Each structure stands twice: as structure tokens, then as C-alpha cells.
Amino acid sequence: MRGIYIAEKDKLIYTYDPEDGNIITDFINNKRNWFIVSSRCYQVLKQELSIGVQFIPIAINNGKDGSNTMGYIVNILNVLEGAINFEHSGYGVLKDGDKKVYAIWKYALNDSIIRNYDLFRLKEHSVAMFCSEKIK
């Protein structure tokens, strides 16, 4: 999920095993690295995030007893270009042909670009998610 709106799919189900130490919290850790939140967290986020985010419903299934709870995948549509301040960031660059791949371990962001966004990813490094102090 990299800034692209996803059309509604059939019902999505995420199954977890509570015996593996997995518990359902407001931020639901998962092997796919999807940004999944509880219904409670969704209620808060949807009030604060009116644009730039898609909430995709997902059933969260307890693999042991079969019980379900509702959750949401947060698809971040805001992908900002030029938001990284490379002068003050810690990073390395790998080249793959003509493509550059950034390995960033310390982010410094340009306030002039990120100031109007509460939840976003970076075009140059789309793995990381960032949120404003308001969302935090």
C-alpha cells in the first residue's frame, strides 16, 4: 500500500494465534507490515483524518477460538516528494541500475513540505510512515 487508492475487495480477514503471544491492541502488529488499527483507534483517526487516508475494513480472527473483531487497514494516500532534508538526515544510497535506493537511519524532514499533513509517507522512502504531533 503505497499511496494508491484500493477498490473495495471481498471481506478481508487477518488471523492471529493468541498462543504466539499475539494480542489485539489499538495498533495490530502483523507479518505483512500493514498499518492495521482497532475499531476504537479507527473512531479517533477518522475524526482527525478527513483526506489522504483510506480505511479498509478487515475482520480480525482469533485462530484459536474463532472469535472475530473488526479492524481497519489504514492506507496512507499522502506520499510527499522532497520532504526529506538530506543535509541533516543519516542515510546511504544503493544503486540499482538507474534507480537509487535510500537506506535511511535518521530522518530530518522539511517542515515547509510536511506542515499540512497529519499522516504521510515519503516518495523517496515509502516504507516509513510519519504522523503529526496532532495524531500522535
Side-chain angles (χ1 to χ4, degrees):
M1 299 190 194
R2 301 287 180 248
I4 300 170
Y5 183 86
I6 297 172
E8 288 293 321
K9 301 270 185 195
D10 292 333
K11 186 175 180 180
L12 295 173
I13 300 172
Y14 168 69
T15 301
Y16 72 98
D17 182 351
E19 291 183 359
D20 285 343
N22 296 321
I23 59 170
I24 298 301
T25 60
D26 286 330
F27 174 76
I28 299 158
N29 191 16
N30 61 90
K31 293 176 183 173
R32 295 189 182 270
N33 291 322
W34 291 347
F35 183 8
I36 302 177
V37 297
S38 68
S39 291
R40 186 176 85 155
C41 187
Y42 162 74
Q43 294 300 325
V44 173
L45 288 177
K46 80 173 185 171
Q47 292 176 13
E48 300 297 329
L49 299 168
S50 57
I51 58 171
V53 175
Q54 176 188 13
F55 294 100
I56 303 168
I58 187 168
I60 302 166
N61 176 267
N62 179 323
K64 182 153 177 100
D65 67 15
S67 63
N68 286 314
T69 188
M70 195 65 196
Y72 294 85
I73 298 171
V74 181
N75 183 16
I76 301 170
L77 303 174
N78 295 320
V79 179
L80 307 181
E81 185 171 9
I84 301 174
N85 180 329
F86 285 103
E87 184 178 326
H88 294 100
S89 293
Y91 68 97
V93 179
L94 305 169
K95 290 192 177 183
D96 182 13
D98 292 338
K99 186 178 176 184
K100 290 182 181 179
V101 178
Y102 293 91
I104 303 173
W105 57 86
K106 177 185 169 195
Y107 290 93
L109 302 176
N110 293 316
D111 184 56
S112 62
I113 293 176
I114 68 168
R115 77 172 54 147
N116 295 322
Y117 296 91
D118 289 315
L119 192 60
F120 60 92
R121 291 185 186 272
L122 305 172
K123 183 173 183 180
E124 297 86 356
H125 199 250
S126 64
V127 174
M129 299 178 286
F130 295 88
C131 70
S132 67
E133 287 295 318
K134 175 178 135 182
I135 298 301
K136 194 164 120 178

